[in-house]
Amino acid sequence: MGLSADQTKHGGRVLSFLRKVGFEGDIWGVHPKTPAIDGVEVYPSLKEGPTSPDAIILAVPPPSIPGVLEEAAERKAGGAIIFSGGFAEVGGEGESLQRRVCDIARAGGVRLLGPNSAGIIYPPARTILSFLTCLERPAKEIRPGPVGLITQSGGTGSFMFNLAADRGGGLAISVSTGNEADVELSEVFEALVENPDVRSIALLLETVRNGPRFIAAARAARAAGKPVVACKIGRTEAGHDIMRTHTGALAGPIRTFEAAFESLGITSVRSPAELLDVAEVMASAPLPPGDGVGVITHSGGAAILMADRAEELGITLPDPSPEMKKKLEPFLQMGASGNPVDLGGIVTQPERYGEVIRLFLNDPAYDLVIPVSTPHPSAHSEGRGHELIKIAGETENPLPNLWLAGKLGQEGADILRAAHMPIAESAESLMLAVRGMIRLGRMKRADKKRIKTEK
């Protein structure tokens, strides 16, 4: 509805993006004054269209939406996405209109995404039902990735898609739920647990409207081995006020959300960038068999940084045993044999880095090992990337990488990402992911023990 040849309008943008990514399904439009648009058949009304549509894009003014949905029910349409705002988030008449729209859709068996939704981006199926600016990228950059995103903020979802694309990746799927008049976050959450393209789930949420369903979905995700990461926005009074005018969401105490996330094994982060970072790492790394973490670096400052974050997050860094310290001595150059271990200068004999990582991986005190790399020198970046991939193939334990290199050592980071290695370029993101992996590992072991006892 509202199909247009004008690519500055939502209807025109969706058509353009569908064609760019090579969508293979049928497309037809509805417009009362236009007979055809760029080779697409256009009909005066929905009831005059050729088939019963699976999905309808409603890029029309809010007052016309009730009538369109009545026609959609007559045509037995599967679902509709409402881009328009001006509903519950504005209160008064908008709230009444949203209730009416929802009632019509439910009575007619039409599922409704929105209002105020930015739509769905599903690269594996070459299906773009969205107008977001991230889709203005070249077609080759609208690619799938391991993370499924559910967001109650369309623009922030666009930022996350761009961030993933800039790294050479993408998202498995992105769903913007908007005001959630009908389909709400927990229902999409359930669907992503079942989606084989999704290896971890990222939630950018203002509120949860169906608590029991959300809890059930989180437990199903854990049982399916799909880590869940959440960024709860609207943490302050100022944020609460904006939420009410954004999607009409109601605020709840942040402590309640944090406690629920903790009990369900959901990793909580504080920004959209962290949300993507942590979800990508957790999508690519196995769960550790225990809690012991080893950190290997060749920077004293990085060693201090990692020690600080580990203590703040309750991550255990076992000190190397006397036997281990003796093994480490030949590899140190003005460094320190603690945990984190600091190799010191690494300009000469860069192979020492890989050998020390192997020492930690072979020590039963360490269930997860973190290599921390800096561009010193940058000429080592390519070789180090390949060596880390080789080492990862020699172990079943997690090897999440912290790559503190920036543009100077970007080649190594790109090599690791191309091999689907767990990698972050922020110590905060990496350690949040590690904490989440450890907690999920504990829960998985507890679940197995409980099931065994019950039997």
Side-chain angles (χ1 to χ4, degrees):
M1 303 297 299
L3 187 65
S4 172
D6 184 350
Q7 293 187 21
T8 66
K9 296 182 177 180
H10 287 350
R13 289 173 68 80
V14 173
L15 177 60
S16 171
F17 297 148
L18 282 168
R19 286 181 157 168
K20 180 163 66 174
V21 299
F23 177 70
E24 295 178 348
D26 295 329
I27 305 172
W28 51 275
V30 174
H31 198 289
K33 299 179 181 178
T34 306
I37 294 174
D38 196 18
V40 175
E41 290 294 325
V42 178
Y43 300 87
S45 67
L46 188 59
K47 62 186 176 183
E48 295 174 70
T51 60
S52 175
D54 296 314
I56 304 167
I57 299 293
L58 296 177
V60 295
S64 63
I65 289 176
V68 173
L69 288 175
E70 288 172 351
E71 290 187 10
E74 290 178 16
R75 293 307 311 267
K76 300 188 183 304
I81 301 174
I82 300 179
F83 290 159
S84 312
F87 290 86
E89 75 279 7
V90 300
E93 292 183 3
E95 194 168 1
S96 298
L97 180 59
Q98 179 165 310
R99 283 198 298 269
R100 184 183 171 204
V101 162
C102 186
D103 289 344
I104 292 169
R106 287 178 174 170
V110 180
R111 299 310 309 272
L112 196 63
L113 186 65
N116 210 14
S117 167
I120 299 171
I121 303 171
Y122 190 15
R126 291 185 284 183
T127 300
I128 307 297
L129 305 177
S130 175
F131 56 85
L132 290 173
T133 55
C134 61
L135 299 165
E136 296 171 5
R137 310 179 73 95
K140 66 180 181 180
E141 295 180 7
I142 304 173
R143 56 174 86 84
V147 178
L149 171 66
I150 310 169
T151 173
Q152 292 170 331
S153 167
T156 310
S158 186
F159 161 73
M160 291 178 64
F161 194 97
N162 276 327
L163 188 58
D166 287 342
R167 296 172 177 173
L171 297 175
I173 187 170
S174 174
V175 182
S176 166
T177 56
N179 289 14
E180 301 184 356
D182 176 29
V183 175
E184 51 89 34
L185 179 140
S186 300
E187 186 172 358
V188 183
F189 190 176
E190 291 173 342
L192 265 56
V193 172
E194 299 294 328
N195 188 317
D197 296 317
V198 174
R199 297 206 299 275
S200 71
I201 298 170
L203 309 174
L204 183 74
L205 55 89
E206 298 173 14
T207 192
V208 172
R209 290 179 169 86
N210 188 330
R213 195 166 191 174
F214 182 90
I215 291 168
R219 288 173 174 163
R222 192 169 82 228
K226 295 190 178 185
V228 182
V229 186
C231 177
K232 168 68 175 74
I233 56 178
R235 306 172 72 94
T236 64
E237 284 302 317
H240 295 169
D241 292 342
I242 295 170
M243 278 166 51
R244 283 188 284 271
T245 59
H246 180 219
T247 61
L250 297 175
I254 187 60
R255 284 190 293 260
T256 301
F257 282 94
E258 296 288 2
F261 295 159
E262 186 81 13
S263 68
L264 293 168
I266 295 174
T267 300
S268 179
V269 300
R270 296 180 69 92
S271 73
E274 283 183 355
L275 179 62
L276 181 64
D277 287 348
V278 175
E280 285 187 334
V281 170
M282 296 184 76
S284 305
L287 296 181
D291 297 354
V293 174
V295 180
I296 297 94
T297 183
H298 51 98
S299 162
I304 296 167
L305 173 66
M306 296 296 278
D308 285 344
R309 291 307 291 131
E311 182 171 336
E312 290 163 357
L313 293 171
I315 295 170
T316 303
L317 299 181
D319 199 47
S321 66
E323 293 80 10
M324 180 67 156
K325 287 185 177 182
K326 194 167 185 179
K327 291 178 183 178
L328 288 170
E329 284 178 5
F331 298 98
L332 305 180
Q333 184 174 324
M334 304 299 290
S337 61
N339 184 19
V341 61
D342 173 17
L343 299 182
I346 200 167
V347 175
T348 59
Q349 296 179 297
E351 66 278 3
R352 290 181 293 130
Y353 187 69
E355 292 307 310
V356 171
I357 294 171
R358 288 184 173 93
L359 282 177
F360 272 75
L361 286 169
N362 291 328
D363 189 317
Y366 304 103
D367 304 287
L368 181 151
V369 176
I370 304 172
V372 182
S373 297
T374 69
H376 183 65
S378 58
H380 291 177
S381 294
E382 180 180 358
R384 179 169 299 172
H386 290 301
E387 177 68 1
L388 288 166
I389 293 167
K390 182 179 177 182
I391 293 170
E394 299 168 1
T395 180
E396 294 182 356
N397 286 4
L399 193 71
N401 290 267
L402 176 58
W403 196 269
L404 301 176
K407 293 293 183 184
L408 191 60
Q410 192 63 43
E411 187 175 14
D414 292 343
I415 288 168
L416 292 176
R417 285 202 168 94
H420 308 294
M421 289 278 286
I423 173 176
E425 296 178 65
S426 154
E428 179 71 16
S429 296
L430 194 281
M431 294 302 269
L432 284 169
V434 167
R435 180 178 183 269
M437 290 158 60
I438 290 169
R439 287 172 54 237
L440 278 178
R442 287 178 194 156
M443 294 178 116
K444 182 178 180 181
R445 294 192 295 274
D447 289 343
K448 283 185 176 180
K449 186 175 181 180
R450 188 189 68 251
I451 292 169
K452 187 177 180 180
T453 302
E454 290 172 353
K455 287 182 178 179

